[in-house]
Amino acid sequence: MSGPCSYGRPRRIRRGAALTLFLAGVLATGAATGTWSEDDRGAAERPAPARAAFGGRVPEATTADRAAVERAASEAVEDGKSGAQAAADVVSRSGDRWSTIYSAGEFKDFQAQLDGGYVGVGLWVRQAPHGRIEVSRVQPGGPAARAGIAVGDRLRAVDGRPSRGAPVTEVVARLRGVAAGGSRRPAAAAGTPVTLDLQRGDRRWSATLHRTRLRSHNVVIDRPAGAHGPTRVKISAFGKGTGAVVRRAVRRASPQGGMLLDLRGNTGGLVTEAVATASAFLDGGLVATYDVRGSQRALYARRGGNTRLPLVVLVDGGTMSAAELLSGALQDRGRALVVGSRTFGKGSVQMPSTLADGSVAELTVGHYRTPSGRNADGDGLAPDVMVGSGAEKRARTVLSGLGGGA
């Protein structure tokens, strides 16, 4: 899902600057969960993040900013105003493009998406040049797919409200029927209508869709027709259970054929699931380090993964956050060759806290690094084999050179 741009207006809050990566139960007792944010939620109708500026060490002011956000929200609630809006105003002035404010309803809905279920029309959207909102993915079998909406279509308006220049998360909220601001009203129920104004080339049209309950299919496994061909595993985002699905695919993969792990366009997700996925290929050891206000922490793979299956990882400029963490770990550990183009560059760590009116603030508190110490934030990670078009064909050639493929 791309962070919103101002386009000549006062800077808008970078809400939902990608998929929040949860290290533990989010907001449980307000403990430090080290959520790592990035756009696109690991389920449909996810925003797509804008490219982050190079990060490095988080300035000491980050802690003060957190206190200022919480104080502003509390004071606003005492005055009978929106705590979420007051917090958003502080964040928008902070210069941190990855910090974000969710209403209570948005955050609850967001957590449900990460569990793999949501009510919507089956659209992913991104911010295109000049503030345009475009369809980046359509869920097969969903209302949008049945209406003939396709990738690249321009989303001009949702229920009559123009989308151009709006933060992607606001457009997503309209699609989903999620209440804005500090409201606790839940997302719209299945069966409720939403009217979209669309454009494809010179053609403009409107379509009224009815939201339905959908399941996000974040992992697609293509097994070879023959006994010894390569298994291809495409992960679009790290939702609940992704690691277990990949582990099963690894167990069933042909040792001769090997595996293509396709992380192109992967917008992130639950960091615990990215680590679980790494564990399918590693026998323990370091996956990543990260800092939270100067305190260094580490993420480790579980023991018992398959360390012999030939493995090639595909990445591109849409490979973000948790997907960068995974590809960087497998690359640094010498477990896989990475093929494709440089990744997106989202490696900052956000931490959530509940504000006075029940809304949730996520503010940047640190950055993660790969096992060799590389910081993905800003410039992304370079693959071992750089290739643009024809990346999958090249990846299969590389895999065959590792002893896999057919």
Side-chain angles (χ1 to χ4, degrees), residues 33-60:
T33 57
T35 68
W36 303 0
S37 185
E38 82 195 299
D39 252 341
D40 249 275
R41 303 290 197 246
E45 284 139 42
R46 304 172 292 185
R51 190 173 182 83
F54 183 75
R57 183 173 175 80
V58 178
E60 293 299 324

Side-chain angles (χ1 to χ4, degrees), residues 74-214:
S74 296
E75 291 173 353
V77 170
E78 290 175 1
D79 292 340
K81 300 177 182 178
S82 168
Q85 184 57 56
D89 291 342
V90 174
V91 170
S92 67
R93 295 192 298 267
S94 71
D96 182 353
R97 68 187 307 167
W98 294 111
S99 291
T100 183
I101 306 295
Y102 296 94
S103 71
E106 286 173 332
F107 199 79
K108 181 179 179 181
D109 186 60
F110 171 41
Q111 289 177 291
Q113 290 181 46
L114 289 173
D115 285 340
Y118 67 102
V119 171
V121 297
L123 279 183
W124 284 254
V125 296
R126 64 181 170 225
Q127 196 162 61
H130 309 297
R132 294 192 302 268
I133 300 295
E134 291 183 351
V135 174
S136 60
R137 184 176 164 195
V138 181
Q139 180 160 332
R146 293 195 298 270
I149 297 173
V151 172
D153 287 347
R154 180 178 170 187
L155 182 58
R156 298 174 57 84
V158 178
D159 283 337
R161 300 177 65 184
S163 298
R164 183 167 182 165
V168 175
T169 46
E170 285 189 12
V171 177
V172 170
R174 296 171 197 167
L175 287 168
R176 303 287 309 285
V178 177
S183 173
R184 295 173 181 267
R185 181 171 62 84
T192 55
V194 57
T195 299
L196 311 184
D197 293 340
L198 299 138
Q199 182 173 345
R200 183 183 302 164
D202 294 331
R203 178 195 171 203
R204 297 186 181 186
W205 78 102
S206 295
T208 298
L209 310 181
H210 288 81
R211 301 178 179 97
T212 188
R213 183 161 293 282
L214 297 167

